[in-house]
C-alpha cells in the first residue's frame, strides 16, 4: 500500500491527517476486530492499516512507537489526534465522548510525542524542538498534572508536542539539561513559541490573565530598529550593577545610569546604591563596632585586664568606614569598565518605551534609545509629612553613616529594622538612645522574634516610647550635635516633650518610581506601594523590566524582601534570560535574611503568623528552644534569651517552612540552612544532621520540644 | 604640579610615608619593576605599557597631591615569594604594575594601569 519512494513517517502522517479514523491493526488480533466492529456500529467510516500484511509493517510499527509511545495494536487516530488502543477507545465510547470527536474541528497539526533520534545530542534535541514547535510539554506519562496541562492546550485547540521523560531512555539526561537551563526540576515543563513558560501554576496563571493566548496568537514582528543600547539600566545599586554586568557578559551593549539625589540634609554618595553607601555595609561595620564594645566588657571575665572606661571615637570609626566605602565605589567603576558597561552619571526618565531623557548634574540633557530598559531605582527613607520640622532637623539612615560628628543623645523614630539596628549600634558605642514606635515592632517579621529583640534592647538600656508619634521638632541649639526639642503624642493622646541631640527618622522607605514617567509609557504600578507590577521581572510594557526593591509584592512566589542579594540574583537571571543565556527564573521562596540588632535575628521562610494563616494552626508544628551560647556562660550573660524555632508543615511530611533564630552570629547561622530550604528539607533531615559542637547552630539538629506540648524550653548544657 | 618622589626599597618608602603621616594630602603610589639603564625599559613588559599612560595622566593630579614611584626590584627579587613588598602587612602587593591611592584602598592592577580612563578616574578622586 505505501509507495516505495515515500518514507514511513510521511505515509503515517499523511494518512492520519487526511482520514477521519485510522486504525493500525493486525489481522490476527482479536482486539483490533472489536475496535473495527465498534466503529462499524457507529456507522463511521475508517481506514485500516494491517501491519502484518505489509512488507514494511515493522517500520510503521517502530514509527508509531516513536510517535505515540504505544507498542501495541490496535492504534487508533481520530481526526489526526492519537486516541490509543482498545481500552482507551472503548472507554471514550462508554463515556459518550467518541462520537462527538467525529464532528469536532480537525487540529491543524496533531499533538504528538517525540524523543531524540539515536545519537542526537540532548541539548541539540531540546533546543531544536523548542525553536521549531509552538508548544512543547516535557512531561511524564504517569503525571496527572501533565495530563491537565495537555488538556488545557487541547481545550485551546492547540496542538502540542510532548516528551514523555519516563518513557524514553534519554529522559533523565533531558531532565538534567532542563534543570540547568530552566532551574526547574519538575514536570510539566512547558515552552510556548520558544519561550519558557514554567510548570502547571505559571501556565495556568498565564492562561487566566490571557498572556498565553496573546503569546500564541501574536505575529512575532522582528524589531530591526537600531538602538543606542541593547539595554539601559536605571539605577546603579546592587541589582542594577549585577544586571548590567551580566548583560554585558552575554554580549550586550549596556549602559547603567546612576544618580544620587542628595538627602534633605544634603548627603550624597558614589556608585553602588543604598547597600554599599548607606545600608548593609556601613550598618554591619557599625554593628561590629558595638559588638567589639561588648567584647571589651566580656574580656575581663576571660582574664584580660581591660581598663574600665574604654572610650569610643566616632570620627575614627566613621572615617575608616567611609574610606572603605570609597574604595568600593571606585572598584565598582573599575569593574564596569572591565566588563564594558558604560557608566553614566545622570538621572534617567522615560520619553517613550525605548527612549530615555538623561539629565546631568551640570544641567545638560541628552536622549538615548534602548531595546530593553531595566528599572532598578530602589527606594529612599520616607519623611512623614505631618511632623513639623522633620525635613529641616531630622536625619535618616542616608545621613547617619557619614555624619561628621557623634550624634549624641539620639531618638530613633520607627519600628523598622533600620530604626532598631541604628538604635542598637548607637547604644553599643555608648550613646543615650530612645526608640519611639507607633505600634508593633518589625511589622511583617515573626512577632515572637520581634518581641525577643525588643525585650533584649530594652534590657540593655535602650529606652522605648511605645504607642507614640512625634508631632513637632524644633532646633533649640545649633552645633555638632545641636539640641532638638521633640514634641510627641503619647499613647494617652497627651503631648509630651524631650530634648535630643539627634533625631533619626526610620519610619519606612518609599520607592523612587515617581519621577520616571511610568504612567506616560504605560508601566503599571501598585497605586498604594508605588511599586512596579511585574511578571518574572517583566513589567506591563514588554521591553521594560524591574528588579530589586521596586518590584511589587504581588509579583512573586514569595515575599519580595527589600534585600541586596535578592536584587542581585533577580538582575543576573533577568539579563541571562533577555540575552538568551538561560531560562532560569528568580525564585523568591525562602529568601534568608538577618536583622543586625544587638541580639541578631536570622529568618528563613514563613513567620509563625504567616504559616498559621496559610496552612491552619492544626497543620503546623513548631519546635523550639532557648539556648545558651557557650561564650555567654563565662561572660555571665542570661541563659534564657537566645532562641531557636523551626516551623514544620504537618500536612507535607513535616517539611520545614520557617526557621527563626535570635542569638549572636545569627546571620552566619542562617545562611547555610537556606540551602536546606532550597532542597525542601523535612524535620527528619534536620534531625539526621550531625551538629558541630560547641556551636549555637547545632541547636537546630536537636530540637525536640513542640510549642503544642507546652513544655519548658529553658537553656541547658551538654 | 603635584609633588613627585622615587623610592627603591620598602624601608625607604615606609620611612617616608611615616614622616608625612600627619600631612593631609592624597598620595598615589605606582609599584613597578626596576628599569635597565641603557634603554630606560623595565624587565616587566606590563610596566612598560603602563608607565607612559600613568605619566601622561599626572596632569590630572591636584596641586596638593603627591605621586610616588616605587621600584620593587629586578625580576628575581620580585619573583621571590618572600619579597618584602609582598609580605608587608600594609602593602601586600600581589602584582606589578599596581597603582594605589595610599590609605584609601583604591587600587588599579596590571592592565588597568594602562587604561587612561581608569588612571584619570583614580587621580581625579
Amino acid at each position: 500500500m505505501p509507495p516505495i519512494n515515500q518514507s514511513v513517517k510521511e505515509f503515517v502522517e499523511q494518512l492520519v491527517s487526511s482520514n477521519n479514523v485510522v486504525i493500525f491493526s493486525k489481522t490476527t488480533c482479536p482486539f483490533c476486530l472489536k475496535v473495527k466492529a465498534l466503529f462499524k456500529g457507529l456507522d463511521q467510516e475508517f481506514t485500516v492499516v494491517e501491519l502484518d500484511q505489509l512488507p514494511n509493517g515493522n517500520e510503521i510499527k517502530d514509527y508509531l512507537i516513536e510517535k505515540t509511545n504505544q507498542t501495541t495494536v490496535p492504534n487508533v487516530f481520530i481526526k489526526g489526534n492519537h486516541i490509543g488502543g482498545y481500552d482507551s477507545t472503548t472507554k471514550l465510547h462508554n463515556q459518550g465522548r467518541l462520537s462527538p470527536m467525529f464532528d469536532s474541528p480537525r487540529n491543524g497539526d496533531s499533538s504528538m510525542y517525540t524523543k531524540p533520534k539515536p545519537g542526537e545530542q540532548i541539548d541539540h534535541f531540546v533546543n531544536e524542538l523548542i525553536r521549531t514547535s509552538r508548544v512543547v510539554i516535557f512531561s511524564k506519562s504517569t503525571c496527572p498534572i501533565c495530563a491537565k496541562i495537555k488538556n488545557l492546550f487541547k481545550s485551546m485547540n492547540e496542538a502540542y508536542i510532548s516528551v514523555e521523560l519516563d518513557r524514553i531512555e534519554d529522559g533523565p539526561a533531558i531532565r538534567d539539561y532542563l534543570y540547568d537551563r530552566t532551574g526547574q526540576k519538575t514536570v510539566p515543563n512547558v515552552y510556548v513559541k520558544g519561550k519558557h513558560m514554567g510548570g502547571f501554576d505559571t501556565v495556568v496563571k498565564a492562561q487566566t490573565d490571557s498572556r498565553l493566548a496573546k503569546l500564541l496568537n501574536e505575529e512575532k514582528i522582528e524589531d530591526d530598529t537600531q538602538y543606542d543600547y541593547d539595554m539601559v539600566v536605571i539605577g546603579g545599586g546592587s541589582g542594577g550593577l549585577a544586571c548590567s554586568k551580566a548583560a554585558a557578559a552575554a554580549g550586550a551593549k549596556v549602559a547603567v545610569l546612576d544618580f544620587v539625589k542628595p538627602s534633605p540634609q544634603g548627603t550624597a554618595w558614589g556608585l553602588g546604591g543604598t547597600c554599599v553607601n548607606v545600608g548593609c555595609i556601613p550598618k554591619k561595620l557599625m554593628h561590629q563596632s558595638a559588638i567589639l564594645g561588648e567584647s571589651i566588657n566580656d574580656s575581663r571575665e576571660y582574664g584580660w585586664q581591660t581598663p574600665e572606661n574604654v572610650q569610643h571615637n566616632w570620627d575614627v570609626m566613621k572615617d575608616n568606614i567611609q574610606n572603605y566605602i570609597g574604595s568600593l565605589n571606585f572598584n565598582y567603576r573599575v569593574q564596569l569598565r572591565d566588563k564594558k558597561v558604560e557608566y553614566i552619571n545622570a538621572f534617567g526618565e522615560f520619553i517613550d518605551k525605548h527612549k530615555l531623557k538623561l539629565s546631568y548634574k551640570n544641567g545638560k540633557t541628552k536622549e538615548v534609545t534602548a531595546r530593553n530598559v531595566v528599572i532598578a531605582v530602589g527606594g529612599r527613607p520616607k519623611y512623614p509629612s505631618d511632623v513639623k520640622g522633620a525635613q529641616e532637623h531630622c536625619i535618616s539612615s542616608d545621613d547617619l553613616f557619614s555624619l561628621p560628628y557623634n550624634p549624641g543623645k539620639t531618638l530613633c523614630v520607627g519600628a523598622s529594622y533600620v530604626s532598631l539596628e541604628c538604635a542598637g549600634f548607637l547604644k553599643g558605642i555608648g550613646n543615650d538612645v530612645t526608640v519611639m514606635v507607633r505600634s508593633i515592632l518589625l511589622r511583617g517579621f515573626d512577632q515572637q522574634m520581634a518581641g525577643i529583640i525588643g525585650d533584649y534592647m530594652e534590657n540593655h538600656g535602650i529606652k522605648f516610647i511605645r504607642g507614640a508619634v512625634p508631632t513637632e521638632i524644633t532646633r533649640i541649639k545649633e552645633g555638632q550635635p545641636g539640641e532638638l526639642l521633640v514634641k510627641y503624642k503619647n499613647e494617652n493622646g497627651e503631648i509630651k516633650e524631650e530634648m535630643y541631640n539627634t533625631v533619626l527618622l526610620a519610619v519606612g522607605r518609599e520607592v523612587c518610581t515617581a519621577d520616571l514617567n511610568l504612567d506616560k509609557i504605560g508601566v503599571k504600578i501598585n497605586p498604594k506601594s508605588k511599586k512596579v507590577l511585574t511578571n518574572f521581572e517583566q513589567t506591563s510594557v514588554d521591553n521594560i523590566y524591574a528588579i530589586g526593591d521596586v518590584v511589587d509584592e504581588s509579583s512573586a512566589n514569595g515575599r519580595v524582601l527589600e534585600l541586596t542579594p535578592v536584587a542581585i540574583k533577580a538582575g543576573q537571571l533577568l539579563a541571562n534570560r533577555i540575552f538568551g543565556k538561560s531560562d532560569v527564573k528568580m525564585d523568591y521562596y525562602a529568601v534568608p535574611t538577618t536583622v543586625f540588632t544587638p541580639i541578631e535575628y536570622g529568618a528563613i521562610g514563613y513567620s509563625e503568623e504567616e504559616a498559621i494563616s496559610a496552612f491552619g494552626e492544626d497543620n503546623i508544628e513548631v519546635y523550639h528552644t532557648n539556648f545558651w551560647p557557650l561564650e555567654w556562660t563565662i561572660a555571665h550573660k542570661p541563659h534564657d534569651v537566645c532562641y531557636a524555632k523551626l516551623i514544620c508543615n504537618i500536612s507535607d511530611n513535616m517539611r520545614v517552612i520557617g526557621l527563626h533564630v535570635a542569638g549572636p552570629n545569627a546571620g552566619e547561622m542562617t545562611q547555610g540552612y537556606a540551602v536546606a530550604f532550597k532542597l525542601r528539607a523535612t524535620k527528619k533531615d534536620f534531625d539526621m544532621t550531625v551538629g558541630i559542637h560547641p556551636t549555637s547552630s547545632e541547636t537546630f539538629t536537636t530540637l525536640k520540644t513542640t510549642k503544642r506540648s507546652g513544655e519548658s524550653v529553658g537553656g541547658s548544657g551538654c | 604640579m603635584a609633588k613627585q618622589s622615587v623610592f627603591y626599597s620598602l624601608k625607604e618608602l615606609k620611612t617616608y610615608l611615616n614622616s608625612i603621616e600627619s600631612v593631609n594630602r592624597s598620595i598615589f603610589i605606582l609599584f613597578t619593576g626596576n628599569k635597565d639603564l641603557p634603554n630606560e625599559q623595565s624587565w616587566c613588559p606590563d610596566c612598560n605599557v603602563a608607565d607612559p599612560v600613568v605619566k601622561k595622566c599626572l596632569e590630572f593630579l591636584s596641586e596638593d597631591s603627591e605621586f610616588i614611584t616605587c621600584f620593587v626590584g629586578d625580576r628575581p627579587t620580585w619573583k621571590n615569594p618572600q619579597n618584602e613588598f609582598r609580605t608587608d602587612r600594609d602593602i601586600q602587593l600581589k602584582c606589578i604594575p599596581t597603582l594605589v591611592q595610599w590609605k584609601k584602598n583604591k587600587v588599579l592592577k596590571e592592565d588597568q594601569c594602562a587604561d587612561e580612563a581608569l588612571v584619570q578616574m583614580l587621580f581625579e578622586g
Side-chain angles (χ1 to χ4, degrees), chain A residues 323-324 326-331 333-335 337-338, chain B residues 103-108 112 115-118 121-122:
Chain A
N323 258 345
Y324 177 64
S327 76
L328 291 179
N329 299 144
F330 180 77
N331 280 339
R333 298 277 301 277
V334 174
Q335 280 173 21
R337 206 175 149 77
D338 272 354
Chain B
K103 297 243 172 189
K104 295 285 183 186
N105 289 316
K106 294 184 186 176
V107 184
L108 294 178
Q112 290 170 349
D115 183 328
E116 210 175 311
L118 288 178
M121 198 171 94
L122 178 69

Side-chain angles (χ1 to χ4, degrees), chain A residues 115-125 169-170:
Chain A
K115 65 177 183 183
K117 296 185 201 78
E120 188 180 8
Q121 292 288 321
I122 297 300
D123 54 347
H124 179 265
F125 164 71
E169 204 183 323
D170 293 319

Side-chain angles (χ1 to χ4, degrees), chain A residues 540-605:
Chain A
S540 51
V541 176
D542 58 2
N543 72 313
I544 299 175
Y545 302 83
I547 52 168
D549 294 1
V550 295
V551 172
D552 192 62
E553 191 91 358
S554 64
S555 310
N557 64 337
R559 285 170 60 207
V560 180
L561 297 171
E562 294 181 2
L563 298 169
T564 262
V566 172
I568 291 174
K569 184 71 83 192
Q572 289 168 337
L573 293 174
L574 173 65
N576 287 341
R577 289 201 303 279
I578 293 177
F579 297 106
K581 291 281 242 189
S582 94
D583 296 320
V584 181
K585 299 184 175 78
M586 176 66 187
D587 181 4
Y588 290 90
Y589 172 71
V591 170
T593 184
T594 293
V595 179
F596 291 98
T597 35
I599 188 165
E600 294 180 12
Y601 163 39
I604 316 173

